[in-house]
C-alpha cells in the first residue's frame, strides 16, 4: 500500500483544485437554442399526399402520388420530406432520380421562396448525360415546388458547396420547375 | 495505475477547458460558449440583437432582425443571407450543442445585422459597423432603352417594383456619393439606410435587373408600355462553330459496352464540318482531337471568331435505360440575360464593358434567343427525317455551354448512349455520316432563311 500514498495524495489535491476552480468560475454560458436544449413542440401528425416526379423510359418525368403519414406544416421540413421520398425511389417502377446513395445534409428556404437542398457529394461521373442532370435538377425542383406552397425555385448543393455544373446544366443558382419535361 | 490516474485527472480537468469566454460589447461584457478559437455564433447573434430560431427538421438556424435574415446550418460553410446563398470564410461546427465558428465566419454572419466580431478568440469584441458603402448611379440611353447602373458595391440588392418607383434593398447601408440628376425615365433617387429608392416616370418599370462583375455593379434595364423591345438583325455570315461535347479527361456519357460520348461527338462534328465546307460554309471545331476544353472556352472561341452559329453536339444518357431519341436544346430565356452579358463582357477584352456595350449585348441576346429557337427547330426537323430517330422535340434549358454565346446557339443530343441499341447505332460510321449530313443541311437551311425579326426604326443594331 505504501507506493499508493503519493498517488492518492495527488488525486486529492487535483480534486480539491478542481472543486476550487469550478466554484470560482463565472456562471456558465447561456444554453444554446440548438438541437439539444430547445424543446420542440410535438405537433399532431397530419397525413397527406405528395406528388413526386420520376424519370421513365420515355425520358420524361412522370408523376407518382404517395401517401405520407405526416405532412409537416413548415417549409424546410416539408422540403426535406419531399427529397427523402424522392431518395427512397419510385414505388411505381420508375427510374431513380439520384444515381448515388445520397443523403440530405441540410435544407434552407429563403424568404424569396428559394429552397436550397444540400445533398451528400456524388462519386465522380455518376451523373451522366444532359438527361441525367435534367432529371436530377428538375425532378427535384418540380417535386419540391409542387408540394411546398411558397417555394418557387430549388438549388441543389453538394457536400455543403455550391456546384457550378456537373457537366452540362447550370446548377449555380436556383432553378424554377420545368413542366416541359413532364409526361402529359 | 498511472494510466488510470491520468484518465482521472483528464476527466476532472475537462470542464476547465470547455470554458465560457468574455465578449466585450457596447452594452458591457457578456459570456459565450467557446472551445479553443471557436465561439458560439448563436450567442453572438443574439448579443447583436438578432432573433435566432432553430428548425429541428431542417437542421438549420434562422437569425433575423429588422429586414434581414441569415440562415445557416452546422457542418456547412454556406449561409443564405437575405435570400442569397453566400459562402462563409470557414465552416460552422456543432460542439456540445453549440454552433461555433472562428471569428471571420462569425463576423460574416453578424455583418448583415451591422455588427462584426473583432479582437481575438480569447478576448473577442462585438462591434457595431456603420460605414455605409458609397454608391453612384449612372444612366445610359441607347436604342430607346434606358439602363441604370449602380456602382460601388458588391452587394446584390433585392429589387422591388412599385408604381412610379423601384426599391433596391441592400444588406448593409449604402450612401449616394453624389446626387442623382433626373434623366430620361429616372426622376430621382434617395437612400434610407439599406434601401435605395429610384423614382421613375409613370408607366416605367424594370424590365430586367442583374449583377455584373469586374468592376462589381448592378444593372437595371427599364422599360415601359410605350417601349417596343428592339430586336437586332443578326449578322448573316458563313462561319459556323461546331462544338464536339466533352473530350480529354472528360469522357462524357458511357455506353453499356464502354462506348464514349467524346469519341462519337468529335466524329460527328468532323463529318459535319466537312459537309459544311463542301457547301461553302466555313466551319471551325472547338476541339480537333481528344483534348480537354472547358465549357466557357468553347463559347468564348465562338465569340472571339464572331461566329454566325454555335452548335454543341452531344450524346445523351439517362437513368432510365430504355430512353431513346434525339432532341435539341436552346437557352432558356430566364437564364440567359445576366450570364450572357457578363460572359460577353469578359470575353471581349479589347473593348471594356461599358454601359452602352452591355446594353448592346443585352439587345443582341434577345434577338439571339429567337434565332436560337429557329436553329434548334431546323436541326430537330432534319434529324427527324432520318430513319430510326425518335423525335424528342426542341426544349429549353440553362446549359452552361450555351451561356454567354453571343450568336444563335443550340445543343443537339443525337441519341442515348445509355440505351444499348442506340449506343450500338451511334457507333456505326454510316449512322454518324447520316447525322452529320442532317446537321449540315440544317445549318445551311438556317443560314439561307432570312431572319424574320425586323429592326424597329431608331434602334441600335449590335455588332456581336
Amino acid at each position: 500500500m505504501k507506493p499508493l500514498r503519493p498517488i492518492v495524495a495527488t488525486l486529492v489535491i487535483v480534486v480539491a483544485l478542481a472543486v476550487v476552480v469550478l466554484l470560482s468560475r463565472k456562471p456558465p454560458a447561456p444554453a444554446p437554442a440548438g438541437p439539444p436544449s430547445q424543446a420542440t413542440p410535438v405537433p399532431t401528425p397530419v397525413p397527406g399526399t405528395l406528388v413526386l416526379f420520376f424519370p421513365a423510359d420515355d425520358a420524361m418525368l412522370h408523376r407518382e402520388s404517395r401517401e405520407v403519414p405526416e405532412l409537416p406544416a413548415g417549409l424546410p421540413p416539408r422540403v426535406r420530406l419531399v427529397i427523402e421520398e424522392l431518395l427512397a425511389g419510385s414505388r411505381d417502377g420508375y427510374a431513380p432520380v439520384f444515381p448515388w446513395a445520397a443523403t440530405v445534409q441540410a435544407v434552407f428556404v429563403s424568404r424569396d421562396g428559394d429552397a436550397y437542398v444540400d445533398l451528400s457529394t456524388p462519386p465522380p461521373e455518376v451523373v451522366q448525360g444532359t438527361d441525367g442532370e435534367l432529371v436530377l435538377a428538375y425532378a427535384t425542383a418540380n417535386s419540391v415546388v409542387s408540394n411546398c406552397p411558397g417555394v418557387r425555385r430549388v438549388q441543389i448543393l453538394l457536400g455543403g458547396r455550391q456546384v457550378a455544373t456537373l457537366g452540362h446544366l447550370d446548377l449555380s443558382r436556383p432553378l424554377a420547375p420545368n413542366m416541359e419535361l413532364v409526361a402529359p | 495505475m498511472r494510466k488510470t490516474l491520468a484518465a482521472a485527472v483528464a476527466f476532472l480537468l475537462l470542464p476547465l477547458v470547455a470554458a465560457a469566454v468574455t465578449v466585450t460589447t457596447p452594452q458591457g461584457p457578456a459570456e459565450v460558449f467557446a472551445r479553443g478559437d471557436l465561439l458560439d455564433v448563436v450567442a453572438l447573434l443574439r448579443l447583436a440583437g438578432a432573433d435566432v430560431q432553430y428548425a429541428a427538421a431542417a437542421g438549420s438556424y434562422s437569425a433575423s432582425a429588422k429586414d434581414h435574415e441569415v440562415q445557416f446550418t452546422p457542418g456547412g460553410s454556406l449561409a443564405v443571407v437575405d435570400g442569397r446563398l453566400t459562402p462563409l470564410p470557414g465552416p460552422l461546427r456543432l460542439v456540445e450543442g453549440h454552433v461555433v465558428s472562428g471569428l471571420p465566419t462569425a463576423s460574416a454572419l453578424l455583418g448583415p445585422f451591422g455588427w462584426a466580431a473583432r479582437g481575438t478568440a480569447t478576448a473577442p469584441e462585438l462591434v457595431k459597423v456603420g460605414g455605409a458603402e458609397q454608391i453612384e448611379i449612372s444612366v445610359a440611353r441607347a436604342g430607346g432603352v434606358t439602363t441604370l447602373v449602380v456602382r460601388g458595391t458588391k452587394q446584390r440588392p433585392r429589387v422591388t417594383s412599385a408604381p412610379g418607383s423601384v426599391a433596391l434593398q441592400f444588406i448593409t447601408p449604402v450612401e449616394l456619393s453624389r446626387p442623382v440628376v433626373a434623366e430620361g425615365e429616372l426622376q430621382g433617387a434617395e437612400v434610407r439606410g439599406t434601401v435605395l429608392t429610384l423614382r421613375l416616370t409613370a408607366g416605367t418599370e424594370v424590365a430586367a435587373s442583374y449583377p455584373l462583375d469586374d468592376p462589381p455593379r448592378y444593372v437595371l434595364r427599364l422599360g415601359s408600355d410605350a417601349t417596343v423591345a428592339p430586336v437586332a438583325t443578326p449578322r448573316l455570315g458563313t462561319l459556323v462553330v461546331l462544338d464536339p461535347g466533352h473530350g480529354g479527361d472528360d469522357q462524357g456519357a458511357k455506353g453499356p459496352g464502354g462506348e464514349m460520348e467524346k469519341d462519337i461527338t468529335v466524329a460527328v462534328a468532323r463529318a459535319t464540318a466537312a459537309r459544311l465546307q463542301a457547301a461553302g460554309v466555313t466551319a471551325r471545331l472547338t476541339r480537333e482531337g481528344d483534348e480537354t476544353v472547358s465549357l466557357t472556352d468553347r463559347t468564348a472561341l465562338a465569340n472571339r471568331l464572331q461566329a454566325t452559329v454555335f452548335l454543341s453536339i452531344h450524346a445523351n444518357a439517362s437513368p432510365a435505360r430504355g430512353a431513346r431519341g434525339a432532341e435539341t436544346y436552346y437557352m432558356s430565356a430566364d437564364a440567359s440575360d445576366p450570364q450572357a452579358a457578363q460572359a460577353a463582357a469578359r470575353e471581349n477584352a479589347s473593348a471594356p464593358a461599358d454601359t452602352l456595350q452591355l446594353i448592346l449585348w443585352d439587345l443582341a441576346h434577345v434577338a439571339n434567343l429567337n434565332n436560337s429557337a429557329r436553329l434548334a427547330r431546323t436541326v430537330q426537323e432534319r434529324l427527324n427525317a432520318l430513319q430510326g430517330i425518335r423525335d424528342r422535340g426542341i426544349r429549353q434549358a440553362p446549359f452552361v455551354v450555351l451561356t454567354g454565346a453571343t450568336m444563335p446557339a443550340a445543343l443537339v443530343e443525337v441519341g442515348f448512349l445509355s440505351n444499348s441499341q442506340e449506343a450500338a447505332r451511334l457507333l456505326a460510321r454510316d449512322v454518324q455520316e447520316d447525322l452529320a449530313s442532317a446537321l449540315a443541311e440544317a445549318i445551311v437551311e438556317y443560314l439561307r432563311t432570312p431572319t424574320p425579326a425586323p429592326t424597329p426604326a431608331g434602334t441600335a443594331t449590335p455588332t456581336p
Side-chain angles (χ1 to χ4, degrees):
Chain A
M1 286 301 287
K2 198 173 179 181
L4 283 178
R5 278 185 188 167
I7 297 169
V8 172
T10 307
L11 198 58
V12 168
I13 291 167
V14 167
V15 169
L17 272 172
V19 169
V20 168
V21 173
L22 281 171
L23 288 175
S24 63
R25 280 180 71 200
K26 297 161 186 172
S37 62
Q38 189 179 27
T40 308
V42 182
T44 309
V46 178
T49 304
L50 297 178
V51 178
L52 304 172
F53 292 82
F54 289 99
D57 278 353
D58 59 359
M60 301 293 283
L61 296 174
H62 289 252
R63 291 178 175 86
E64 179 177 313
S65 293
R66 181 171 303 181
E67 303 296 324
V68 290
E70 182 181 354
L71 202 55
L75 277 181
R78 192 181 285 211
V79 171
R80 176 178 280 261
L81 174 70
V82 170
I83 301 298
E84 286 175 344
E85 290 297 328
L86 278 176
L87 285 166
S90 167
R91 294 173 187 169
D92 293 348
Y94 296 125
V97 170
F98 305 97
W100 78 102
T103 54
V104 184
Q105 298 188 159
V107 170
F108 299 145
V109 179
S110 76
R111 285 188 301 197
D112 293 340
D114 289 334
Y116 300 90
V117 178
D118 184 14
L119 299 173
S120 53
T121 311
E125 297 183 6
V126 72
V127 183
Q128 292 207 346
T130 56
D131 195 67
E133 291 177 33
L134 288 166
V135 164
L136 176 70
Y138 290 110
T140 304
N142 290 4
S143 298
V144 168
V145 173
S146 297
N147 295 288
C148 306
V151 175
R152 296 183 304 119
R153 303 185 302 177
V154 179
Q155 181 170 356
I156 293 175
L157 314 175
L158 296 174
R161 305 216 167 271
Q162 255 180 305
V163 181
T165 181
L166 291 172
H168 303 90
L169 204 57
D170 180 2
L171 298 174
S172 67
R173 58 204 191 86
L175 294 173
N178 187 341
M179 290 302 168
E180 272 192 337
L181 304 176
V182 178
Chain B
M1 188 65 196
R2 283 184 179 174
K3 283 183 180 174
T4 308
L5 182 63
V9 170
F11 176 77
L12 288 165
L13 293 178
L14 187 62
L16 306 182
V17 178
V21 70
T22 301
V23 181
T24 305
T25 78
Q27 291 80 35
E31 302 297 317
V32 301
F33 175 87
R35 174 61 64 85
D37 59 354
L38 304 176
L39 303 177
D40 185 334
V41 294
V42 172
L44 292 174
L45 284 163
R46 287 191 171 139
L47 287 171
D51 174 35
V52 186
Q53 299 292 330
Y54 176 69
S60 63
Y61 290 77
S62 171
S64 57
K66 294 181 181 172
D67 295 328
H68 300 297
E69 183 185 44
V70 177
Q71 291 171 281
F72 54 93
T73 184
S77 52
L78 291 165
V80 177
V81 178
D82 289 335
R84 294 189 185 281
L85 197 64
T86 307
L88 296 170
L92 294 157
R93 298 193 175 93
L94 193 61
V95 175
E96 297 174 28
H98 298 261
V99 184
V100 296
S101 76
L103 279 177
T105 301
S107 256
L109 294 174
L110 289 161
F113 305 108
W115 292 83
R118 300 270 166 80
T120 64
T122 51
E125 291 176 60
L126 193 62
V127 296
K128 192 96 174 112
V129 284
E133 285 186 287
Q134 299 292 307
I135 58 169
E136 67 173 59
I137 300 168
S138 55
V139 184
R141 287 174 60 80
V145 174
T146 299
T147 299
L148 309 180
V149 182
V150 181
R151 300 172 195 273
T153 177
K154 289 181 179 175
Q155 298 185 56
R156 296 180 173 193
R158 179 185 296 126
V159 179
T160 311
S161 290
S165 72
V166 58
L168 279 71
Q169 170 79 62
F170 292 91
I171 295 169
T172 58
V174 293
E175 282 177 0
L176 284 168
S177 60
R178 57 189 170 90
V180 171
V181 179
E183 183 180 349
E185 291 93 332
L186 180 64
Q187 297 294 293
E190 56 191 37
V191 171
R192 293 186 66 180
T194 58
V195 180
L196 166 66
T197 304
L198 303 170
R199 283 181 282 110
L200 308 173
T201 52
T204 302
E205 55 191 30
V206 176
S209 61
Y210 44 85
L212 292 172
D213 299 325
D214 300 328
R217 56 207 186 280
Y218 202 82
V219 179
L220 298 140
R221 196 181 73 212
L222 303 182
S224 69
D225 298 339
T227 304
V228 179
V231 179
T233 303
R235 182 174 62 87
L236 289 181
T238 55
L239 178 62
V240 171
V241 170
L242 299 171
D243 172 43
H246 309 278
D249 297 333
D250 175 11
Q251 298 171 352
K254 288 184 221 37
E259 305 89 346
M260 288 189 285
E261 181 184 358
K262 66 174 183 176
D263 296 335
I264 294 166
T265 58
V266 78
V268 173
R270 283 182 187 142
T272 307
R275 281 162 174 74
L276 285 171
Q277 302 277 16
V281 177
T282 308
R284 281 281 301 270
L285 269 58
T286 56
R287 66 175 176 99
E288 299 287 343
D290 184 21
E291 60 258 21
T292 305
V293 184
S294 76
L295 294 173
T296 48
D297 282 352
R298 293 166 191 256
T299 322
L301 174 72
N303 287 347
R304 278 200 304 275
L305 294 174
Q306 297 189 19
T308 317
V309 167
F310 178 80
L311 182 65
S312 190
I313 301 168
H314 287 252
N316 215 337
S318 172
R321 296 301 173 203
R324 64 185 180 87
E327 60 204 325
T328 311
Y329 287 91
Y330 66 103
M331 199 66 186
S332 46
D334 64 331
S336 55
D337 267 1
Q339 287 89 348
Q342 285 204 52
R346 274 199 303 272
E347 286 152 14
N348 195 347
S350 61
D354 60 17
T355 304
L356 177 62
Q357 185 190 6
L358 289 172
I359 293 166
L360 297 181
W361 286 122
D362 197 28
L363 300 183
H365 205 79
V366 173
N368 284 343
L369 208 56
N370 296 333
N371 288 315
S372 296
R374 188 164 65 85
L375 172 66
R377 192 163 47 248
T378 311
V379 166
Q380 188 63 33
E381 283 170 2
R382 290 286 178 167
L383 287 176
N384 293 343
L386 295 177
Q387 278 198 334
I389 293 272
R390 183 183 177 207
D391 176 19
R392 294 185 37 75
I394 64 166
R395 293 174 177 169
Q396 287 179 275
F399 288 126
V400 175
V401 78
L402 301 180
T403 303
T406 55
M407 71 291 300
L411 182 151
V412 59
E413 292 283 1
V414 294
F416 278 84
L417 266 178
S418 50
N419 179 312
S420 55
Q421 287 179 328
E422 284 217 335
R425 210 176 58 81
L426 289 170
L427 277 183
R429 178 59 62 91
D430 58 333
V431 171
Q432 293 176 358
E433 296 287 338
D434 288 347
L435 289 168
S437 293
L439 297 180
E441 287 167 9
I443 291 168
V444 170
E445 181 185 332
Y446 169 84
L447 292 172
R448 285 180 180 161
T449 308
T451 304
T455 304
T459 58
T461 300
T463 305

